[in-house]
Every structure is written in structure tokens, then in C-alpha cells.
Amino acid sequence: QTNEQNTQITENKQLTETVKQIRRLIAGSMDGITATTMRQKGLIYKQNFGVALPRLREIARQFTPDTALSEYLLQTAGRETQIVGLLLMPAKQLTTEAALHLASTLQTTELAEIASMTLFCHLNDIDHFLTQLITSHHQWQLLTACCTATRALQRLKPCSLEMLFHAIADTNIDMATANAAYTLLQHLHDHDADTGRHSKTQRKNKEI
């Protein structure tokens, strides 16, 4: 075996062991009542231990962010392993193309919200990312666009928001996407109000 092959075997063993550690921590934090409540509310995963997001953040902080580990966890069927996978994705290394691929694989509102909050809102070319989501005319892509826009209002060009709202108006959206759009509108209203108050304060200071 070559040195490269030996290195790959070692890395695979380390990855497998890390995944086992993460699974053990998740299983040890299981909350059956919460998992049942989630299912009753329509939050469907093939595997759900009902672990709260703050606890999953604690688990993720015990490991070094790593793209290979993140991608492995995101391919699993479990709610918690997928969330930890998102939390362990190095945001600074995520390209727009990789982000678009990731967005196309997210199957629940919860995952879309977490990915938008921890990853997508930090993209350098965020307007291009949103444009690609919007022009797909796919329900989940529009939902993800709304979640991302909510988290990155100050960085967006007005034309990106205008395009997003036009797409929402022209699409027969489901309740989850409608809720995400409503949340975006609320944040936009609050942002505009704060900007207006800031401008008035500046004018008053100049007059003084």
C-alpha cells in the first residue's frame, strides 16, 4: 500500500470513530416526548431522537468543523446527525455552488432554517445564491431563500428582495414557505423602521 492509501485508511477510520462518538452523544441526549411532539406537528424524519437544538450545538462544539465529516452526517437519515452535520460545515470554505447543492438536499423547514442561519447568510456572493434559488421555482428553494434573506437583510441588494417577492407571488406556495415569507416581511419592516429611526437621529445630531 502507498503512503496515500495508508493516509486515506487512517482518515476513514478517524471519520468513522468520530461519527460513532457523535451518535453516542445524540443517543444519550434522547427525549422521546419531544420526538413524539415533533412528529405530531408534522416534523417528519426517518430517525428523530427529539434532542433540542442548544444541546446539538453543545455536541457540535466538541468537534472540529470538517467538510468530510459534515457531508457524511448530512447523508444520514437522522434529524440530529443532519443538524450536527450542518453545524460542523466550515462556513468560510462553502462555495456558492456547494451551497446550492446543499440547499437542494434539505428536506425539512428546520434544516433549511439552520443552514440559512449558520451557512448561507455568510456566503460572499449571497445575491447570486438567492437568484439561483429563486429561479429554480421550487418550493424548498424559495423557502430557503426566504430564510436566508431574513438572516442577511443588510447585505442584500434591493433587486434580490424584489425578485424573491415576485417569485413568491407567482408561485403556489405551501404553508411552510408562506410562513417563511411572512417572517421575512416582518424582519424587513423592523429593519426599515430601525433604519428610519437611525436616519432621524443623524439629522437631529447634525442640527444640534
Side-chain angles (χ1 to χ4, degrees), residues 13-30 47 49 51 55-56 59 62-63 73 80-81 84:
K13 286 182 178 179
Q14 291 175 343
L15 177 63
T16 301
E17 182 56 36
T18 302
V19 171
K20 287 181 179 178
Q21 291 177 27
I22 291 172
R23 289 186 184 277
R24 282 195 294 267
L25 289 168
I26 289 171
S29 306
M30 183 172 63
Q47 186 180 64
F49 287 102
V51 183
R55 173 56 183 156
L56 293 175
I59 291 173
Q62 297 180 44
F63 302 90
L73 292 170
E80 286 77 11
T81 46
V84 173

Side-chain angles (χ1 to χ4, degrees), residues 76-89:
T76 64
R79 167 183 173 266
E80 286 77 11
T81 46
Q82 289 183 68
I83 290 176
V84 173
L86 290 175
L87 297 175
L88 287 175
M89 176 68 73

